[in-house]
Coordinates of all heavy atoms in Angstrom, one line a residue:
T1 N 88.7 112.7 21.2 CA 90.2 112.8 21.0 C 90.7 113.6 22.1 O 90.6 114.9 22.1 CB 90.5 113.2 19.6 OG1 89.9 112.5 18.7 CG2 92.0 113.2 19.6
E2 N 91.4 112.9 23.1 CA 92.2 113.7 24.1 C 93.3 114.4 23.5 O 93.9 114.0 22.6 CB 92.5 112.8 25.3 CG 91.4 112.2 26.0 CD 91.9 111.2 27.1 OE1 93.1 111.2 27.4 OE2 91.0 110.6 27.8
I3 N 93.6 115.5 24.2 CA 94.8 116.4 23.7 C 96.1 115.9 24.4 O 96.0 115.8 25.6 CB 94.5 117.9 24.0 CG1 93.2 118.4 23.3 CG2 95.7 118.8 23.4 CD1 92.9 119.7 23.8
E4 N 97.0 115.6 23.7 CA 98.3 115.1 24.2 C 99.0 116.1 25.1 O 98.9 117.4 24.8 CB 99.3 114.7 23.2 CG 98.9 113.5 22.3 CD 98.8 112.3 23.3 OE1 99.7 112.0 24.0 OE2 97.9 111.5 23.1
P5 N 99.6 115.7 26.3 CA 100.3 116.7 27.1 C 101.6 117.3 26.5 O 102.2 116.7 25.8 CB 100.5 115.8 28.4 CG 100.7 114.4 27.9 CD 99.7 114.4 26.7
F6 N 101.9 118.4 27.1 CA 103.2 118.9 26.8 C 104.3 118.1 27.5 O 104.0 117.3 28.4 CB 103.2 120.5 27.1 CG 102.4 121.3 26.5 CD1 101.4 122.0 27.1 CD2 102.5 121.5 25.0 CE1 100.6 122.9 26.4 CE2 101.6 122.3 24.4 CZ 100.7 123.0 25.1
G7 N 105.5 118.2 27.1 CA 106.7 117.5 27.8 C 106.9 118.1 29.2 O 106.7 119.3 29.4
M8 N 107.4 117.3 30.1 CA 107.6 117.8 31.4 C 108.6 119.0 31.5 O 108.4 120.0 32.2 CB 108.3 116.7 32.3 CG 108.6 117.0 33.7 SD 109.4 115.8 34.7 CE 108.2 114.5 34.9
S9 N 109.6 118.9 30.7 CA 110.7 120.0 30.8 C 110.0 121.3 30.2 O 110.3 122.4 30.8 CB 111.9 119.5 30.0 OG 112.8 120.7 29.9
D10 N 109.3 121.1 29.2 CA 108.7 122.4 28.6 C 107.7 123.0 29.7 O 107.6 124.3 29.7 CB 107.8 122.0 27.3 CG 108.7 121.7 26.1 OD1 109.9 122.0 26.2 OD2 108.2 121.2 25.1
V11 N 106.9 122.2 30.3 CA 106.0 122.7 31.3 C 106.7 123.5 32.4 O 106.4 124.5 32.9 CB 105.1 121.6 31.8 CG1 104.3 122.1 33.0 CG2 104.1 121.1 30.7
I12 N 107.9 122.8 32.9 CA 108.6 123.4 33.9 C 109.2 124.7 33.4 O 109.1 125.8 34.1 CB 109.6 122.4 34.5 CG1 108.9 121.2 35.2 CG2 110.5 123.1 35.5 CD1 109.8 120.1 35.6
Q13 N 110.0 124.7 32.4 CA 110.6 125.9 31.9 C 109.7 127.0 31.5 O 109.9 128.1 31.6 CB 111.6 125.5 30.8 CG 112.7 124.6 31.2 CD 113.8 124.5 30.1 OE1 114.1 125.6 29.4 NE2 114.4 123.3 29.9
G14 N 108.5 126.5 30.8 CA 107.6 127.5 30.3 C 106.9 128.2 31.4 O 106.4 129.4 31.1
G15 N 106.8 127.8 32.6 CA 106.2 128.4 33.7 C 104.7 128.7 33.4 O 104.1 129.8 33.9
I16 N 104.0 127.8 32.7 CA 102.6 128.0 32.5 C 101.6 128.0 33.7 O 100.6 128.4 33.6 CB 102.1 127.0 31.3 CG1 102.2 125.6 31.9 CG2 102.8 127.2 30.0 CD1 101.6 124.6 30.9
G17 N 102.2 127.5 34.8 CA 101.5 127.5 36.0 C 101.7 128.7 36.9 O 101.3 128.6 38.1
R18 N 102.3 129.7 36.4 CA 102.8 130.9 37.3 C 101.6 131.7 37.9 O 101.9 132.3 38.9 CB 103.6 131.8 36.4 CG 103.0 132.6 35.4 CD 103.9 133.5 34.6 NE 104.6 132.6 33.6 CZ 105.5 133.1 32.7 NH1 105.7 134.5 32.7 NH2 106.1 132.4 31.9
A19 N 100.4 131.6 37.3 CA 99.3 132.3 37.9 C 98.3 131.5 38.7 O 97.4 132.0 39.3 CB 98.5 133.0 36.8
F20 N 98.7 130.3 38.9 CA 97.7 129.4 39.7 C 97.6 129.7 41.2 O 96.6 129.4 41.7 CB 98.1 127.9 39.6 CG 98.0 127.4 38.0 CD1 98.7 126.3 37.7 CD2 97.3 128.1 37.2 CE1 98.5 125.8 36.4 CE2 97.3 127.6 35.8 CZ 97.9 126.5 35.5
S21 N 98.6 130.4 41.7 CA 98.5 130.6 43.2 C 97.5 131.6 43.5 O 97.0 131.8 44.6 CB 99.9 131.1 43.7 OG 100.3 132.2 43.0
F22 N 97.0 132.4 42.4 CA 96.0 133.4 42.7 C 94.8 132.8 43.3 O 94.2 133.4 44.1 CB 95.7 133.9 41.3 CG 94.5 134.9 41.2 CD1 94.6 136.2 41.5 CD2 93.2 134.5 40.8 CE1 93.6 137.1 41.5 CE2 92.1 135.3 40.7 CZ 92.3 136.7 41.1
E23 N 94.3 131.7 42.9 CA 93.2 131.0 43.4 C 93.2 130.6 44.8 O 92.3 130.2 45.4 CB 92.8 129.8 42.4 CG 93.8 128.7 42.5 CD 93.5 127.6 41.5 OE1 93.5 128.0 40.3 OE2 93.1 126.5 41.9
F24 N 94.5 130.6 45.4 CA 94.6 130.2 46.7 C 94.4 131.4 47.7 O 94.5 131.1 48.9 CB 95.9 129.5 47.0 CG 96.2 128.2 46.2 CD1 97.4 127.9 45.5 CD2 95.2 127.3 46.0 CE1 97.5 126.8 44.8 CE2 95.4 126.1 45.2 CZ 96.5 126.0 44.6
G25 N 94.5 132.5 47.2 CA 94.4 133.8 48.0 C 93.1 133.7 48.8 O 92.0 133.3 48.3
Y26 N 93.2 134.2 50.1 CA 92.0 134.1 51.0 C 90.8 134.8 50.4 O 89.7 134.5 50.6 CB 92.4 134.8 52.4 CG 91.3 134.9 53.2 CD1 90.8 133.6 53.9 CD2 90.7 136.1 53.7 CE1 89.8 133.7 54.7 CE2 89.6 136.1 54.5 CZ 89.2 134.9 55.1 OH 88.2 134.9 56.0
D27 N 91.1 135.9 49.6 CA 90.0 136.7 49.1 C 89.7 136.4 47.7 O 89.0 137.2 47.0 CB 90.3 138.2 49.2 CG 90.3 138.7 50.6 OD1 89.4 138.1 51.5 OD2 91.1 139.6 51.0
Q28 N 90.2 135.4 47.1 CA 90.0 134.9 45.7 C 89.4 133.5 45.8 O 89.9 132.7 46.6 CB 91.2 135.0 44.9 CG 91.8 136.3 44.9 CD 90.9 137.4 44.1 OE1 90.1 137.0 43.3 NE2 91.2 138.6 44.3
A29 N 88.5 133.2 44.9 CA 87.9 131.9 44.8 C 87.3 131.7 43.5 O 87.2 132.6 42.6 CB 86.7 131.8 45.8
M30 N 87.0 130.4 43.2 CA 86.5 130.2 41.9 C 85.1 130.9 41.6 O 85.0 131.4 40.7 CB 86.1 128.6 41.8 CG 87.3 127.6 41.6 SD 87.7 127.7 39.8 CE 88.8 126.3 39.7
T31 N 84.3 130.9 42.7 CA 83.0 131.6 42.6 C 83.0 132.7 43.6 O 83.2 132.5 44.8 CB 81.9 130.6 42.8 OG1 81.9 129.5 41.9 CG2 80.5 131.3 42.8
M32 N 82.7 133.9 43.1 CA 82.5 135.1 43.9 C 81.1 135.7 43.8 O 80.3 135.0 43.0 CB 83.7 136.0 43.7 CG 85.0 135.5 44.1 SD 86.4 136.5 43.7 CE 86.4 137.5 45.2
M33 N 80.8 136.9 44.2 CA 79.6 137.5 44.0 C 79.7 138.9 43.5 O 80.8 139.4 43.5 CB 78.8 137.6 45.4 CG 78.7 136.1 46.1 SD 77.8 134.9 45.2 CE 76.1 135.7 45.2
T34 N 78.6 139.4 42.8 CA 78.6 140.7 42.3 C 77.1 141.1 42.2 O 76.3 140.4 41.9 CB 79.3 140.7 41.0 OG1 79.6 142.1 40.6 CG2 78.5 140.1 39.9
P35 N 76.8 142.5 42.4 CA 75.4 142.9 42.2 C 75.0 142.8 40.8 O 75.7 143.1 39.8 CB 75.6 144.4 42.7 CG 76.8 144.5 43.5 CD 77.8 143.5 42.9
V36 N 73.7 142.5 40.6 CA 73.1 142.6 39.4 C 73.0 144.0 38.9 O 72.6 144.9 39.6 CB 71.6 142.0 39.5 CG1 70.9 142.1 38.1 CG2 71.7 140.6 39.9
G37 N 73.5 144.2 37.6 CA 73.4 145.6 37.0 C 74.6 146.5 37.3 O 74.6 147.7 36.9
G38 N 75.5 146.0 38.1 CA 76.8 146.8 38.4 C 77.0 147.1 39.8 O 76.1 147.1 40.7
M39 N 78.3 147.1 40.2 CA 78.7 147.4 41.6 C 78.1 148.6 42.2 O 77.9 148.7 43.5 CB 80.2 147.2 41.8 CG 80.8 147.0 43.2 SD 80.3 145.6 43.9 CE 81.5 144.5 43.1
D40 N 77.9 149.7 41.3 CA 77.4 150.9 41.9 C 76.0 150.8 42.5 O 75.5 151.7 43.2 CB 77.6 152.1 40.9 CG 76.7 151.8 39.7 OD1 76.1 150.7 39.5 OD2 76.6 152.8 38.9
R41 N 75.3 149.7 42.2 CA 73.9 149.6 42.7 C 74.0 149.6 44.3 O 73.0 150.1 44.9 CB 73.3 148.2 42.3 CG 73.3 147.9 40.8 CD 72.3 149.0 40.1 NE 73.1 150.1 39.7 CZ 72.5 151.2 39.1 NH1 71.2 151.2 38.9 NH2 73.2 152.2 38.8
I42 N 75.1 149.2 44.9 CA 75.2 149.2 46.3 C 75.2 150.7 46.9 O 74.5 150.9 47.8 CB 76.6 148.6 46.8 CG1 76.6 147.1 46.4 CG2 76.7 148.7 48.3 CD1 78.1 146.6 46.7
Y43 N 75.8 151.6 46.2 CA 75.9 152.9 46.6 C 74.7 153.8 46.3 O 74.5 154.8 47.0 CB 77.2 153.5 46.2 CG 78.4 152.6 46.6 CD1 78.9 151.6 45.8 CD2 78.7 152.6 48.0 CE1 79.9 150.7 46.2 CE2 79.7 151.7 48.4 CZ 80.2 150.7 47.6 OH 81.0 149.7 48.2
Y44 N 74.0 153.4 45.3 CA 72.7 154.1 45.0 C 71.8 153.7 46.2 O 70.9 154.4 46.6 CB 72.2 153.9 43.7 CG 72.9 154.7 42.6 CD1 73.9 154.2 41.8 CD2 72.6 156.0 42.5 CE1 74.6 154.9 40.9 CE2 73.3 156.8 41.5 CZ 74.2 156.3 40.8 OH 75.0 157.1 39.8
K45 N 71.8 152.4 46.7 CA 70.9 152.0 47.7 C 71.4 152.6 48.9 O 70.5 153.1 49.8 CB 71.2 150.5 47.9 CG 70.3 149.7 46.8 CD 68.9 149.7 47.0 CE 68.1 148.7 46.1 NZ 66.7 148.7 46.4
F46 N 72.7 152.9 49.3 CA 73.0 153.6 50.4 C 72.5 155.1 50.2 O 72.1 155.8 51.3 CB 74.7 153.7 50.4 CG 75.3 152.6 51.3 CD1 76.2 151.9 50.8 CD2 75.0 152.5 52.7 CE1 76.9 150.9 51.5 CE2 75.7 151.7 53.5 CZ 76.6 150.7 52.9
Q47 N 72.7 155.7 49.0 CA 72.1 157.0 48.9 C 70.6 157.1 49.2 O 70.3 158.1 49.9 CB 72.4 157.3 47.4 CG 71.7 158.7 46.9 CD 71.9 158.9 45.4 OE1 73.0 159.2 45.0 NE2 70.7 158.9 44.7

């Protein structure tokens, strides 16, 4: 059962798309990377 869409006016006035531009940022993407076990693993390796 597909979920029915909201009305056009409600979507426009409600501004539910206000955060979508975040994903277009040069340093933001759907998939990014992170160290296994925590970001501080990088600095213990430097140490």
Side-chain angles (χ1 to χ4, degrees):
T1 304
E2 294 181 5
I3 304 173
E4 291 295 316
F6 297 117
M8 179 188 292
S9 178
D10 287 348
V11 170
I12 294 172
Q13 290 190 41
I16 59 176
R18 70 186 72 176
F20 296 165
S21 61
F22 172 81
E23 66 193 60
F24 300 137
Y26 178 69
D27 292 327
Q28 300 291 345
M30 281 283 193
T31 301
M32 301 178 78
M33 306 300 291
T34 194
V36 174
M39 192 66 76
D40 63 353
R41 301 298 90 183
I42 298 174
Y43 301 97
Y44 282 103
K45 286 287 190 178
F46 267 122
Q47 172 185 292

